Amino acid sequence: MIPFRTGYGCDLHRFVPDRKLVLCGVEIPHTAGLLGHSDADAACHALTDALLGALALGDIGHFFPDDDPAYKDADSVELLKKVLQHKAFESWMIGNCDITIITQKPKLAPHINAMRESLSTILGIDISNVSVKAKTAEGLDAVGRCEALEARCIVLLAKRD
Ligand code: MG
């Protein structure tokens, strides 16, 4: 059996006024936030789906249904932590993760290190193994029109000894 597994996750949420913008568990100052049943932290959701995908455990909607009142305005970091408590992580450890956030606004460069630190703490891995990148959509499509934000993530898991 190959002692590595990769996982991929992606997510997209719509921008609306009067919501906080939270990415990787970090509140980012902006004129709009993301709409969702939870806090709509798209980066955390993509990461959570990548972890679940690596272990073929399903997806975030299976674990935390978006029609369940228990998860209304839920802190996505707490959902991610719940997934990390899955018994599968007794056998698998996280090697690294690489997240790309695509948004026209706001500029995320000043917040990249805070987001990496946040995920490093949550995942329990060194910050050198946590990559968060940001780019625009060059003005194209819903993301480019500032109507939505997208996040994509891959992870590598390694079998524990
Ligand atoms: Mg989501």
Side-chain angles (χ1 to χ4, degrees):
M1 185 177 172
I2 297 169
F4 301 101
R5 300 190 73 140
T6 62
Y8 172 74
C10 63
D11 196 27
L12 181 141
H13 282 266
R14 180 187 295 271
F15 272 119
V16 290
D18 304 321
R19 289 266 298 185
K20 287 181 188 171
L21 176 59
V22 181
L23 294 169
C24 305
V26 176
E27 194 174 329
I28 312 280
H30 190 40
T31 53
L34 296 172
L35 182 63
H37 185 63
S38 67
D39 65 4
D41 183 336
C44 256
H45 294 179
L47 172 58
T48 303
D49 255 357
L51 290 167
L52 291 171
L55 296 164
L57 288 174
D59 60 42
I60 190 170
H62 169 75
F63 279 76
F64 311 109
D66 66 5
D67 56 358
D68 186 334
Y71 303 116
K72 176 93 175 79
D73 295 323
D75 179 346
S76 297
V77 166
E78 294 306 315
L79 306 185
L80 172 56
K81 285 179 177 172
K82 271 188 193 166
V83 164
L84 292 170
Q85 284 164 9
H86 193 283
K87 64 180 184 332
F89 287 98
E90 292 169 13
S91 308
W92 294 91
M93 61 183 182
I94 301 167
N96 73 299
C97 70
D98 183 13
I99 295 174
T100 298
I101 301 170
I102 312 168
T103 190
Q104 205 64 31
K105 290 179 182 174
K107 283 256 179 285
L108 294 179
H111 309 288
I112 293 288
N113 276 341
M115 291 191 281
R116 292 178 67 209
E117 277 172 14
S118 170
L119 293 182
S120 166
T121 302
I122 296 160
L123 299 175
I125 60 176
D126 190 83
I127 193 166
S128 64
N129 295 314
V130 179
S131 164
V132 178
K133 312 192 298 290
K135 62 193 298 170
T136 73
E138 298 287 341
L140 297 168
D141 295 335
V143 172
R145 291 191 298 269
C146 302
E147 294 169 5
L149 175 148
E150 186 178 350
R152 303 176 190 178
C153 176
I154 57 168
V155 297
L156 179 73
L157 303 186
K159 189 88 172 157
R160 294 184 192 275
D161 291 332

